[in-house]
Amino acid sequence: MRKLFRKVPLNVIKLILALAFIIPLIVAIIVSLQSIDEVNKLPYELSVADPSLDNFNFAMSQINLLGYFKNTIIQILICVPCQIITALMAAYAFSHFNFPMKNLLFTIMIASLMIPMETVTVSLFKMMVGWDLINTYIALCITGLINVSAVFMFRQNMLSIPKSIWEAARIDGCGHIRYFVKILIPLCKPIIIAQTLLSVIWAYNDYFWPMLVTTSDSMRTIQTGVAYLKDVAHPGVMMSAVLLILVVPVILFVFGLDSITEGVTAGAVKN
Amino acid sequence: MKKDKKKVWLPYLFLLPTFAGIIIFGFYPFAKTIINSFSFTDQYGEWLKWSGTYFWKNLFTYESGLFWKMLGSTLLFSGMNFVFTFTAGMALALLCVRREKINRFYQTIYALPIAISSVAASVIWGFIFKGNGGLMNTWLGIQTDWLHDQSTAIVVLSIITSWCHVGTTFLLLLAGFRSVPMDIQEAAMLDGASGFKRSVKIMIPMASPQIFFVVFLNILTAIKTFTQIRLLTYGGPQNSTRTLMYEVYYKGIELGEYETACCLSIVLFLLIFLITRIQFILEKKLVHYQ
């Protein structure tokens, strides 16, 4: 009993912090339920007399959310599998083979991590303009086709798998490709799921690159489409649109928390 | 053995897609950026002729020292971001360090901003900090145009960006604290060390690799912040939130001054490179792995 009593203040602090943390979401929900008059009222009050779903209806009917959503899904379906497969292949080569120039290639890969995407974006954009790829799915997906940090993550994971499994498989006549597809990939499943979840959330939430390469409304992704309306649409409508686009990543996050935690921490610190 | 010999090309084949990507989307545009910062280019960014240091000189002199102001804003912004994110992440991680059922719930909430896009965060926070009819003004009973006031804009922007990034910091620190062996903590508990004392004297030093990583991660993420600035302040007011990252976009895309944007990209790269070097050197000196 005394132990419980001593714990109470800490839990109160945690609860208050948690509330403070999700205030933006609570605000968004309340604003989206308010009427136009309530949102425009001065000074503004965070209360809702007569909750209505008008804003959501308006957002769904007037904003091309489903079209944006389609573009994002296409982008994710192309980028994420491609990222995962290429990263798995590279990680397999680096973890299970000895070949000439291995160290040199590995160093080159580390060096590529030193060039942040942000510093080459303008040049990449000019390349897209030059190749006449603006407003195409190719331009939208092209930068998400590989993921070097995923290579490191997978390689680390593959190195931790006992060599004896590979030796046993080889004695049984298992070739490299069969071992890779049938044994190694299933063994790496947790880390693959973690990386997939993170990649999906990142691709879904990405703004900078999609904004650069999409100028027509029919090509906008979910983030660029909503951002484009930010200063045009009414706050109530904006909040409903934002809540609608939040649903997918939040669900993925809540149900995949353990996986995501693993993914976030796996690549971070060498121990 | 014979079978292995026959497949010497196999690892190269497996590496091919990744390396093609690294070259086409990494090294090639990077080389192009360096070359074009010393050149005149056409509208497609194709090389026309050398410009020498014309654009570099321009960069340091344009708009009476705007470049240095931008560099200052970038450092100030990432510094504030680091302080806010790190303090919040540290406090939250220490609060949730016990593996209890209730902490899992808090863990979900504190890390939730990871799932929330910077666009969504900007829209919602933009409404809260709106000057006319904003929620923050109602709560505080004052009239401040937070995002259009030179003295508050960068602070508010940092708070918003920190909210977006604190989840990652929190999860990393939590993992670090939880990896501290239980027996050490129990020994300290038997010696009568309080929860607070155990945090400061045992947890934090033992988790120093994670803490170190998080410090630099926060600085680097903040330097690369773009969306929040683009959607909330457009680099204003009076250029106070015009960071290098935003300026690369503004010059290169909005104004179409590609060569200047290349110079700025190189500066951005050098800044990030410098910080990673510092991280590398300090890591060797300060961090003790077990």
Side-chain angles (χ1 to χ4, degrees):
Chain A
M1 196 59 210
R2 231 178 72 196
K3 205 178 167 195
L4 192 77
F5 186 71
R6 260 181 49 199
K7 268 188 191 164
V8 166
L10 210 60
N11 277 324
V12 172
I13 295 172
K14 279 195 269 191
L15 190 67
I16 293 170
L17 281 172
L19 279 175
F21 235 72
I22 50 168
I23 272 184
L25 296 182
I26 299 170
V27 169
I29 292 169
I30 295 177
V31 175
S32 68
L33 296 174
Q34 283 180 325
S35 66
I36 294 181
D37 292 338
E38 280 173 318
V39 175
N40 289 339
K41 200 174 146 202
L42 280 176
Y44 176 76
E45 271 168 37
L46 196 65
S47 61
V48 59
D50 179 27
S52 78
L53 290 176
D54 288 353
N55 287 325
F56 286 93
N57 288 331
F58 190 84
M60 285 304 283
S61 60
Q62 297 301 308
I63 304 175
N64 187 15
L65 279 180
L66 286 176
Y68 301 152
F69 192 68
K70 188 195 85 192
N71 291 336
T72 301
I73 294 297
I74 291 175
Q75 185 201 351
I76 289 175
L77 285 180
I78 296 174
C79 288
V80 176
C82 191
Q83 254 180 45
I84 301 290
I85 292 167
T86 54
L88 278 171
M89 283 163 61
Y92 183 49
F94 276 128
S95 63
H96 281 73
F97 288 88
N98 274 316
F99 50 92
M101 293 197 302
K102 182 176 169 180
N103 287 335
L104 176 74
L105 289 174
F106 195 66
T107 315
I108 292 176
M109 207 166 70
I110 293 175
S112 81
L113 277 179
M114 296 296 287
I115 305 173
M117 182 66 201
E118 285 78 2
T119 62
V120 296
T121 307
V122 182
S123 287
L124 273 175
F125 172 72
K126 286 284 174 184
M127 279 159 64
M128 295 302 126
V129 177
W131 296 343
D132 204 13
L133 287 175
I134 298 298
N135 282 325
T136 59
Y137 287 114
I138 301 175
L140 200 59
C141 300
I142 209 159
T143 55
L145 294 180
I146 58 153
N147 184 341
V148 177
S149 43
V151 176
F152 284 96
M153 211 149 112
F154 291 156
R155 172 182 164 271
Q156 210 59 36
N157 201 260
M158 286 177 184
L159 285 175
S160 72
I161 289 166
K163 268 268 181 283
S164 54
I165 297 183
W166 161 231
E167 273 150 19
R170 193 160 61 167
I171 288 165
D172 288 344
C174 181
H176 274 296
I177 296 194
R178 217 165 76 156
Y179 172 72
F180 179 53
V181 177
K182 295 263 161 140
I183 299 173
L184 197 60
I185 289 181
L187 281 174
C188 292
K189 213 162 139 196
I191 198 82
I192 294 174
I193 292 173
Q195 179 61 47
T196 307
L197 268 173
L198 281 175
S199 291
V200 168
I201 292 179
W202 282 332
Y204 186 94
N205 285 345
D206 195 16
Y207 172 70
F208 193 17
W209 181 252
M211 180 210 52
L212 294 184
V213 295
T214 56
T215 50
S216 74
D217 194 59
S218 61
M219 277 306 295
R220 288 211 172 91
T221 62
I222 204 112
Q223 304 297 333
T224 53
V226 169
Y228 185 71
L229 293 165
K230 181 180 168 271
D231 294 325
V232 191
H234 187 262
V237 179
M238 271 321 284
M239 293 297 172
S240 359
V242 161
L243 287 173
L244 288 171
I245 67 168
L246 277 184
V247 171
V248 175
V250 167
I251 289 178
L252 283 179
F253 178 82
V254 171
F255 287 101
L257 180 66
D258 291 329
S259 233
I260 285 170
T261 311
E262 195 191 335
V264 168
T265 49
V269 180
K270 38 181 190 273
N271 260 325
Chain B
M1 221 39 220
K2 210 175 174 189
K3 205 172 164 190
D4 277 11
K5 273 266 157 56
K6 235 166 59 184
K7 287 194 174 165
V8 280
W9 46 267
L10 196 66
Y12 297 106
L13 184 74
F14 273 24
L15 289 176
L16 187 67
T18 302
F19 274 80
I22 289 176
I23 291 163
I24 301 170
F25 312 125
F27 292 120
Y28 173 63
F30 186 62
K32 213 171 140 113
T33 308
I34 296 178
I35 292 169
N36 286 338
S37 73
F38 295 104
S39 324
F40 292 105
T41 60
D42 67 5
Q43 53 175 333
Y44 299 113
E46 289 304 320
W47 191 85
L48 290 177
K49 61 175 186 194
W50 292 106
S51 68
T53 54
Y54 175 76
F55 290 104
W56 282 97
K57 274 185 198 147
N58 241 356
L59 181 69
F60 293 116
T61 51
Y62 74 60
E63 291 180 45
S64 57
L66 179 64
F67 173 77
W68 300 108
K69 195 181 173 187
M70 265 162 19
L71 203 59
S73 306
T74 308
L75 294 176
L76 180 66
F77 180 70
S78 58
M80 276 199 289
N81 251 294
F82 153 66
V83 173
F84 295 152
T85 318
F86 186 70
T87 322
M90 188 78 132
L92 297 177
L94 285 174
L95 280 173
C96 289
V97 74
R98 279 163 183 268
R99 291 175 195 272
E100 289 166 2
K101 231 179 189 162
I102 185 88
N103 278 348
R104 216 194 119 77
F105 164 74
Y106 288 122
Q107 210 176 320
T108 317
I109 296 210
Y110 296 151
L112 191 65
I114 292 180
I116 293 171
S117 71
S118 34
V119 171
S122 301
V123 170
I124 301 172
W125 282 103
F127 180 80
I128 293 177
F129 281 108
K130 206 163 68 166
N132 197 13
L135 197 54
M136 195 51 85
N137 283 338
T138 313
W139 281 340
L140 299 177
I142 51 172
Q143 270 302 328
T144 308
D145 202 348
W146 300 96
L147 289 163
H148 296 102
D149 188 315
Q150 208 184 334
S151 53
T152 53
I154 198 166
V155 182
V156 171
L157 205 61
S158 301
I159 293 174
I160 297 171
T161 316
S162 303
W163 184 80
C164 297
H165 294 154
V166 75
T168 317
T169 304
F170 165 70
L171 286 184
L172 284 167
L173 288 176
L174 190 66
F177 291 146
R178 284 189 173 167
S179 68
V180 175
M182 252 346 236
D183 46 348
I184 301 182
Q185 293 189 55
E186 274 162 12
M189 224 184 314
L190 287 177
D191 289 344
S194 67
F196 178 75
K197 216 169 185 177
R198 263 179 289 143
S199 306
V200 176
K201 299 253 158 139
I202 296 172
M203 297 268 211
I204 294 178
M206 291 288 282
S208 68
Q210 280 85 359
I211 293 174
F212 190 79
F213 178 82
V214 161
V215 167
F216 281 90
L217 179 79
N218 277 328
I219 296 173
L220 292 173
T221 332
I223 286 180
K224 295 188 240 166
T225 302
F226 170 75
T227 313
Q228 288 88 343
I229 302 177
R230 165 86 164 84
L231 291 179
L232 290 172
T233 64
Y234 304 96
Q238 280 97 48
N239 301 329
S240 62
T241 57
R242 207 146 138 188
T243 62
L244 276 176
M245 184 65 233
Y246 183 74
E247 190 70 358
V248 167
Y249 158 80
Y250 183 68
K251 288 280 178 204
I253 315 288
E254 297 257 290
L255 301 184
E257 294 175 16
Y258 174 49
E259 299 90 342
T260 313
C262 284
C263 296
L264 286 161
S265 297
I266 303 293
V267 176
L268 186 67
F269 166 77
L270 289 175
L271 185 66
I272 293 172
F273 185 76
L274 186 75
I275 292 172
T276 22
R277 286 317 294 178
I278 295 174
Q279 174 180 17
F280 192 72
I281 294 165
L282 285 181
E283 187 173 22
K284 282 197 167 162
K285 283 193 175 165
L286 297 179
V287 179
H288 303 287
Y289 293 101
Q290 283 171 39

